[in-house]
Amino acid sequence: MDSLIAVREALPYLVQGAAVTITAVVGAMGLGLLIGVPMAVGQVYGNRPVRFLVGLYVWFFRGVPVLVLLFLFYFGLFSLMGLNLNALAAATLVLGLTSAAYQSQIFRGAIQAISRGQLQAAKALGMSDIMGIRTIILPQALRLSIPGWSNEYSIILKDSALAFVLGTSEIMARTHFVASRTYQHLPLYITAGVLYFILTWAGMRALRQLERKTRIPGYSHG
Amino acid sequence: MPWILSQGFTMPEFLSAWAAAFGSDFMADQLIPALNRGLWVTLALILPSATLGILLGVIIGSLRTFGPKLIRRITDGYSVIIRGTPLVVQLFILYFGLPNLGIYFEPYTAAVIGFTLCSSAYHSEYIRGGLMSIKRGQMLAAQALGFSGMKALIWIIIPQAVRRALPGCGNELVYLIKYSSLAYIVTCIELTGEGKVIASRTFRFTEVFLVVGLYYLALVTVASYCLHKLEQKLYIPGFGRSSR
């Protein structure tokens, strides 16, 4: 069986690609979290211009396909800005900026699910706005966000497969490379699919674990 | 204006200098016609995929909810596998992989099949959710009032389930518009593909892909607006999204 031999020989190489995929996904999720949380806070508690700017950002990044964003930033904007990034860093950055738009909406929903009275109570206890948001609202909102977050993980993981158009050496690019040399396209792409499936499944499981770990006994939001 | 004239500029000259500086010759002569051509291909990809995707999604979603156990297993598996793998992988399997088995598709056909299968899996999830959110008691009540099972399904269950599933399915349609850009990867030259061809020839990546992005933004914004209108039209006071 040529196809089985091709898959067996390619597998270690593809698994190394999975490590690159994970790097990009973890980086993008982290970046999205870092930008998404302040954006969500700005959209809920900010003044008009802040809300408008966040809305504009979200509208743009949610309305333009990831593929177009990758081309736009990697070949266009990054070099205009004088950033000289390698393909992996660029893909991670673009995925992170996109994810920030989606994550901000997950967090916004979670923040809005916490009743407004809590922030007023925090203020009545002498906390500043920032402190109230940071120590009262966000710890609850972030817990509520985990289910939405695990959805976002599976989306970014799948979007990261597009990074191969920039030449990032993740699963897809490696599969394409091996397939075009061995002509065993079908078994190799199925292998890539299986790798992605395992990563999706493992990540979802880990996030469910996180949800259970961070749960506070006897606490339900409201 | 007198100052400009005294500097020796005439008005048309001034305008054409401005236009050349901002590349609007390039925009009008090359970019926009090419992107409009691509837009038609994009629409020709989206419309059949969306229609077939919803149809297949409704069938699979119903089978996943009401089907016999074996069918339920199979359709659940279908949905999980499709939703657990990237669309690029599915398109590559269809376009580059199946020729290993002697099955050849045109790029356009491969893209439409890929989009249809992928969006049907997502639609089926929302439709299943919508169907399951309708209490079983309603079916029993309908039967007590003399409805047959099929009639109860058509007149009682489905009208409610559609309203519950609509926001999710609408989202999925918006996703389909954006992910239609992947057709370019299997060499079906649509909006993104036309943009890539021009950008690679002229090296004006920023302008080209900003304009391509605007095309998609327009499509997505119009689609979201229509879906929002549809949701409002179907809205029944007192029938909330999550209330039972």
Side-chain angles (χ1 to χ4, degrees):
Chain A
M1 287 296 277
D2 284 353
S3 54
L4 281 182
I5 294 169
V7 168
R8 211 179 55 201
E9 281 183 352
L11 200 56
Y13 182 65
L14 299 187
V15 170
Q16 282 168 18
V20 179
T21 293
I22 292 171
T23 313
V25 171
V26 170
M29 292 286 293
L31 186 65
L33 180 72
L34 228 57
I35 311 174
V37 170
M39 283 206 317
V41 170
Q43 208 172 16
V44 178
Y45 299 112
N47 53 17
R48 258 182 109 93
V50 171
R51 288 206 308 266
F52 173 77
L53 284 178
V54 174
L56 194 68
Y57 181 97
V58 170
W59 176 72
F60 180 79
F61 278 94
R62 291 212 302 185
V64 179
V66 180
L67 191 60
V68 174
L69 289 172
L70 284 170
F71 285 145
L72 174 64
F73 279 89
Y74 186 62
F75 295 119
L77 289 177
F78 284 159
S79 48
L80 273 189
M81 289 189 276
L83 282 174
N84 195 5
L85 296 172
N86 66 28
L88 176 62
T92 309
L93 199 53
V94 172
L95 287 174
L97 291 175
T98 312
S99 178
Y102 285 94
Q103 288 193 37
S104 75
Q105 295 313 293
I106 298 173
F107 298 134
R108 184 183 61 120
I111 291 173
Q112 283 171 336
I114 314 282
S115 73
R116 261 194 120 78
Q118 292 206 21
L119 194 59
Q120 287 163 359
K123 277 198 223 174
L125 290 170
M127 291 189 189
S128 67
D129 274 344
I130 304 266
M131 194 174 175
I133 290 170
R134 202 169 53 85
T135 61
I136 309 284
I137 305 293
L138 283 184
Q140 302 178 66
L142 290 180
R143 283 183 172 82
L144 284 181
S145 307
I146 296 175
W149 222 57
S150 69
N151 223 350
E152 178 62 16
Y153 163 79
S154 94
I155 292 174
I156 301 196
L157 175 66
K158 285 178 276 173
D159 281 351
S160 78
L162 294 179
F164 91 94
V165 297
L166 307 186
T168 314
S169 63
E170 40 67 76
I171 299 176
M172 220 38 220
R174 287 169 186 245
T175 313
H176 196 52
F177 177 65
V178 180
S180 43
R181 284 200 322 181
T182 60
Y183 296 105
Q184 298 292 342
H185 293 273
L186 186 62
L188 285 167
Y189 286 127
I190 289 178
T191 312
V194 171
L195 283 178
Y196 278 109
F197 192 82
I198 294 172
L199 287 181
T200 308
W201 180 80
M204 301 290 250
R205 220 183 130 89
L207 282 164
R208 215 171 308 140
Q209 227 22 273
L210 179 71
E211 196 182 345
R212 206 168 306 146
K213 275 260 168 64
T214 56
R215 187 154 51 198
I216 301 170
Y219 166 79
S220 65
H221 76 93
Chain B
M1 227 29 80
W3 176 79
I4 289 175
L5 291 175
S6 71
Q7 296 295 307
F9 284 103
T10 58
M11 209 43 204
E13 204 182 327
F14 177 70
L15 271 180
S16 68
W18 184 85
F22 287 85
S24 70
D25 283 349
F26 166 65
M27 290 272 179
D29 295 346
Q30 294 186 48
L31 187 57
I32 302 297
L35 293 188
N36 285 345
R37 204 163 54 226
L39 180 64
W40 285 112
V41 181
T42 291
L43 291 175
L45 283 164
I46 294 171
L47 292 176
S49 312
T51 320
L52 294 173
I54 287 183
L55 272 176
L56 195 58
V58 168
I59 295 171
I60 293 173
S62 314
L63 289 175
R64 287 178 66 192
T65 322
F66 301 120
K69 196 163 181 164
L70 181 67
I71 304 273
R72 238 165 35 216
R73 280 257 170 86
I74 295 170
T75 44
D76 277 349
Y78 169 82
S79 160
V80 167
I81 288 171
I82 299 257
R83 290 186 303 123
T85 52
L87 179 55
V88 206
V89 175
Q90 293 157 22
L91 288 175
F92 270 38
I93 288 178
L94 282 169
Y95 186 68
F96 296 112
L98 288 186
N100 280 8
L101 301 179
I103 304 170
Y104 294 88
F105 288 122
E106 292 285 307
Y108 173 79
T109 320
V112 169
I113 294 176
F115 295 156
T116 303
L117 294 181
C118 185
S119 63
S120 75
Y122 285 90
H123 282 309
S124 84
E125 189 72 7
Y126 298 117
I127 284 157
R128 191 181 70 113
L131 287 171
M132 297 222 302
S133 77
I134 310 300
K135 262 193 176 173
R136 262 194 110 74
Q138 293 207 20
M139 182 59 119
L140 298 177
Q143 281 170 345
L145 290 170
F147 281 76
S148 69
M150 205 57 192
K151 271 202 167 147
L153 200 63
I154 291 172
W155 295 106
I156 312 279
I157 310 289
I158 288 179
Q160 300 180 68
V162 162
R163 287 174 171 81
R164 292 256 163 81
L166 193 59
C169 290
N171 245 339
E172 180 49 34
L173 287 178
V174 169
Y175 268 99
L176 178 64
I177 294 175
K178 293 194 291 167
Y179 283 102
S180 71
S181 58
L182 300 196
Y184 150 71
I185 292 175
V186 290
T187 69
C188 176
I189 300 301
E190 36 63 80
L191 197 47
T192 310
E194 294 280 3
K196 185 76 191 349
V197 169
I198 290 201
S200 310
R201 212 174 51 213
T202 59
F203 286 100
R204 297 190 176 193
F205 283 93
T206 310
E207 293 124 292
V208 169
F209 283 112
L210 271 179
V211 178
V212 172
L214 287 178
Y215 270 74
Y216 280 106
L217 275 172
L219 284 177
V220 165
T221 308
V222 168
S224 315
Y225 177 79
C226 293
L227 287 162
H228 182 69
K229 279 276 162 240
L230 182 64
E231 250 175 78
Q232 273 180 343
K233 210 174 159 74
L234 292 177
Y235 175 74
I236 299 171
F239 179 74
R241 258 217 263 161
S242 53
S243 69
R244 304 238 152 156

